[in-house]
Amino acid sequence: MRVVPVITTNQGSKIIAENLATTMQGLETTVENIMTTMVDLQRITRDSTINVKQRLNREQRFHASQSKTSGQKNFRCYECDSPDHLRNACPELEEVKE
């Protein structure tokens, strides 16, 4: 059998007020945690955006430098002055080695 204590109106109001105060403190803590999480998410998003922008800038600079040099492929062999290969693959040097 469950025993229910008899609470007078003043005691009941006091208990309800205490419960409300405890609930409000819990809600304030929850709101503070949510706000902290939001600030953290904003920082992470900002940092991620900066990193993406930096990476894109690097890629754009790389591709721009590639397009500038792509038409300037004037490599020649230092041994025989042929544009077909570089010195390390020169057939004349291979003949001399043998």
Side-chain angles (χ1 to χ4, degrees), residues 18-73:
E18 289 172 357
N19 287 341
L20 282 175
T22 303
T23 302
M24 290 297 292
Q25 287 175 348
L27 287 174
E28 288 173 358
T29 303
T30 302
V31 169
E32 288 174 6
N33 291 340
I34 290 171
M35 291 177 69
T36 303
T37 303
M38 288 175 60
V39 169
D40 290 343
L41 288 173
Q42 287 173 342
R43 181 185 50 78
I44 291 168
T45 302
R46 184 188 67 236
D47 292 349
S48 297
T49 303
I50 290 170
N51 290 338
V52 167
K53 286 180 181 178
Q54 288 173 346
R55 191 184 81 233
L56 288 175
N57 286 338
R58 275 187 300 229
E59 288 175 0
Q60 288 172 348
R61 286 193 309 260
F62 174 75
H63 291 300
S65 68
Q66 289 295 318
S67 65
K68 289 178 186 175
T69 59
S70 63
Q72 300 175 356
K73 292 187 178 180

Side-chain angles (χ1 to χ4, degrees), residues 75-85 90 92:
F75 298 114
R76 293 194 166 278
C77 173
Y78 284 116
E79 188 68 26
C80 67
D81 202 34
S82 171
D84 298 332
H85 58 269
C90 183
E92 290 182 14

